[in-house]
Amino acid sequence: MAQKKAAGRLQGDNNFDITNYSEEWKKLKKIEKNFQTFSENAPDIIYALNSNGSFSYVSAAWEKILGHSTDQVIGRYFSDFGSPTEIEMFKDFYGLLKNSKQIINDVDCTLLGKDGTSYYFSLSGSPLLDSGGNLTGIIGLCKDITARKAAETALKESEQQHRIILEVASDPVIVYDRDFKVTYFNPAFSKVFDWTLEECQGKPLKFVPNEKQKETSRMLNQLQSGDSFSGIETCRNTKDGRIVDVSISGAALLDHFGNINGFVNNLQDITERRKKDRELRYVAYHDQLTNLPNRKAFYRAMENILHRSRWRQGDTIWALMFLDLDKFKQINDTMGHDFGDLLLKSVAKRLKTSLRSSDDLFRLGGDEFTIILNQIALNLDVAAVARKIIQEISKAFSIEGQQIYTSTSIGISVFPDDGWDVESLVKNADLAMYKAKEEGCGFRFFTSEMHRNAIERMNLENDLRTALDKNQFILYYQPILSNHDKIIGIEALIRWQHPKKGLLFPNQFIKMAEDSGKIIPIGKWVLKTACIQTKKWQTIEPDLFVTINLSSRQFMDPTLVDFIMKILKSSGLSPSFLKLEINENSVTVNPELCITKMKILRKKGIIFSIDDFGGGSTYLSYLKHLPIDILKIDQSFITNLENKSDREIYKTIITLANKMDVKAVAEGVETSEQHRFLTNQGCREMQGYFFSKPIPGEKLSKLLRKKNNQ
């Protein structure tokens, strides 16, 4: 037990002298007081942290600079007062001091004042360690460098603004304050938009067109949020109201605290570029010949209208018309491509005048056109438009001083009944157009049956390509009789002995032969075969003639005249025993060429007849010019002879033929009553089922011998 031996000393096992301790304590208290005085009067913040990083002490400078009282700071952390973007930095600072146990100087940071103002500091720290080297706390200094940072930021902002102005000096640049009043714009701006800085400075500049107000408001909101934008293509008004196409870029201008104090816009004048873009876009989406929207524009328009229609779910009905010109290829081949182009331009003009302003017309290429009929109520509306188009196109075209006639076939598909996508609607309208062309009815609406027929037609077309080489064609002959019931001539009629479908008649394959061009070699085979056979039959009937149909496509063949004369020579058949029949299409597609070739062949002794006379609408305008010898009266008049009007028409045609010094031939005679009427009217040549159906050659040989008493 310790015992008191003398004043100021405590004796015991340790023999501790308290007098020395008291002196040391006094010295420490004095140092502490001096430190406290220094700390509380220091311009920079002196701080101390506990081992967990929380504040254990801050000097009075903290409250002077940042506004927080000591009580509001003690026990909290640097990150509680720092900028949100620097939270991790403060954690790293503490972690580095703790782990490295070394002094760290001059770390820039931002602390927020009590009023939210940002202050910049240079942060230093020194770890406090116990005798075992363990961290017991941190003491350090926060030096206020806000003034220095402000000076650096101001200098940087000044340099940046001058740099921006210099970089965009060739383009208009305008600077606004926070209220979007003009503070500056460069000479390039004045040059493009005509305003001077003096008349606009300090005022809002109203040069945004009305239709661009909403777009501009979005851009301003973006700038006010501190976001920049670039390359937004729009337009602005000049001082005199002229529109200038521009590409706008914009950014917010920040002060040294990062607060927005203005805005800058760069406006690149793209008027010329836009003009060239529009020209290129026009070329890309328009047909150069007719100036109509082209195939590319058509498919884009179809996608757009389908998108709108699907969105409205059955509230929309519209129609697609697919049309082309009948016999255009023959016109193009005969008259030349320049002539054909002029015809297409004229057709395009007429199509425009036939449509409503709400409808869309396109040229796909060649003689193909499409029309989108918008907002229709009934199929009758579509039919009315189709009839108007057909009527307009059927009128004569005056091309390079020549009158030319053509016609059009139109296929129609209707949304949504005939398809919900582009491919289906186009394919179905195309099928309907082909059906209209095949039937010669002008226009047809799509039906599901057409799709099945199209497959069959495709297969038949493939077979037709090799039919001639495989000797699948044969000729049938229908007798032509005098009024004395003597066979004086025959009409050669082609048949196709198809290996699977059996015997096919001309109406089942001649049209596709014309479309594919196969009619030329097939027609030559018919001419050669018929002439050779007729020459053989002349041993039975020396004055027997043969009548052969010529299609319009054959008439356009430049080798036709030479080929006919070559066949007549090789077969030995006299030209006077060859009669060539032409129909309405042959006459009206190219009247001048038709008449020229007819005159050449007629001079050589070949006889011409007009087939199905009275069944068309354009014959009379050409009849007086055609070098013809025979009128074959359309059988529709004979079929309806019980009708008084048809009887009178028939009498008129026969009278017309007699006055023109040409023969009138009746075809389609089926009854004895018809035979008697025609004989009484002075018709001297007839053919029809009343006398004989078309029959093969071997049967005709027997009939010739029987009828002509041989």
Side-chain angles (χ1 to χ4, degrees), residues 514-559:
E514 289 180 340
D515 292 341
S516 65
K518 281 292 182 180
I519 193 65
I520 301 299
I522 292 173
K524 289 181 177 179
W525 176 85
V526 171
L527 279 165
K528 180 179 179 180
T529 304
C531 287
I532 292 173
Q533 184 61 59
T534 302
K535 180 61 179 176
K536 291 179 180 179
W537 281 329
Q538 284 183 344
T539 59
I540 303 173
E541 175 54 56
D543 294 329
L544 187 73
F545 63 82
V546 62
T547 297
I548 300 173
N549 286 282
L550 283 183
S551 74
S552 57
R553 185 72 178 269
Q554 287 176 273
F555 232 96
M556 300 304 159
D557 178 14
T559 68

Side-chain angles (χ1 to χ4, degrees), residues 463-602:
D463 294 340
L464 182 64
R465 297 181 185 278
T466 58
L468 188 60
D469 294 334
K470 293 179 178 179
N471 299 315
Q472 293 175 353
F473 293 115
I474 56 176
L475 288 183
Y476 274 47
Y477 301 90
Q478 185 173 38
I480 300 172
L481 284 80
S482 70
N483 56 338
H484 301 297
D485 288 345
K486 179 182 179 181
I487 298 177
I488 57 176
I490 52 174
E491 182 174 2
L493 301 166
I494 191 171
R495 302 289 188 265
W496 179 9
Q497 190 63 56
H498 193 278
K500 294 180 180 178
K501 296 180 178 295
L503 193 66
L504 300 181
F505 289 80
N507 63 338
Q508 295 175 281
F509 64 88
I510 286 297
K511 180 63 174 59
M512 67 177 67
E514 289 180 340
D515 292 341
S516 65
K518 281 292 182 180
I519 193 65
I520 301 299
I522 292 173
K524 289 181 177 179
W525 176 85
V526 171
L527 279 165
K528 180 179 179 180
T529 304
C531 287
I532 292 173
Q533 184 61 59
T534 302
K535 180 61 179 176
K536 291 179 180 179
W537 281 329
Q538 284 183 344
T539 59
I540 303 173
E541 175 54 56
D543 294 329
L544 187 73
F545 63 82
V546 62
T547 297
I548 300 173
N549 286 282
L550 283 183
S551 74
S552 57
R553 185 72 178 269
Q554 287 176 273
F555 232 96
M556 300 304 159
D557 178 14
T559 68
L560 178 66
V561 174
D562 291 339
F563 180 79
I564 290 173
M565 299 314 299
K566 180 181 177 181
I567 289 301
L568 289 173
K569 183 177 180 181
S570 63
S571 66
L573 186 69
S574 171
S576 61
F577 294 117
L578 175 61
K579 297 183 179 182
L580 298 177
E581 289 187 1
I582 59 174
N583 57 27
E584 181 178 10
N585 286 330
S586 300
V587 176
T588 57
V589 168
N590 192 330
E592 289 79 8
L593 179 66
C594 179
I595 292 170
T596 299
K597 288 190 176 182
M598 288 175 69
K599 286 181 177 179
I600 293 172
L601 291 169
R602 197 162 180 260

